[in-house]
């Protein structure tokens, strides 16, 4: 069952109501008994809660992806080799 958002047109009170899709829309504000309107929601999307989701599931180890910079060593003539 989805949760719907409602807003009172008289007092501006916003609230959520858990109801079946087949049920009639609410029409009376529980706070002031004014007229209410059901708001259009963004829809449902996956919710990623908790710490460590990315780190434990998808993060690659840093030792494989990092490349160490090469050092330039001077040769016997004093100039650096590339």
């Amino acid at each position: 069952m989805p949760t719907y958002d409602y807003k009172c047109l008289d007092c501006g009170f916003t609230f959520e109501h858990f109801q079946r899709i087949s049920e009639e829309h609410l029409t009376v504000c529980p706070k002031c008994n004014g007229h209410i309107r059901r708001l259009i929601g963004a829809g449902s999307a996956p919710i990623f809660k908790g710490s460590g989701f990315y780190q434990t599931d998808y993060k690659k180890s840093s030792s494989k992806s990092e490349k160490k910079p090469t050092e330039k060593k001077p040769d016997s003539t004093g100039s650096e080799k590339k």
Side-chain angles (χ1 to χ4, degrees), residues 11-58:
C11 69
F13 178 64
T14 57
F15 63 97
E16 295 179 342
H17 186 70
F18 188 71
Q19 65 185 125
R20 294 181 189 269
I21 295 173
S22 59
E23 288 182 39
E24 292 291 321
H25 300 211
L26 299 179
T27 56
V28 179
C29 176
K31 190 173 182 181
C32 73
N33 292 328
H35 297 286
I36 60 174
R37 178 159 302 192
R38 188 165 80 176
L39 303 175
I40 298 174
S44 62
I47 299 172
F48 301 109
K49 291 186 177 179
S51 62
F53 178 80
Y54 171 77
Q55 293 175 352
T56 58
D57 292 343
Y58 294 104

Side-chain angles (χ1 to χ4, degrees), residues 67-71:
K67 292 182 180 179
K68 293 183 180 180
T70 58
E71 294 181 17

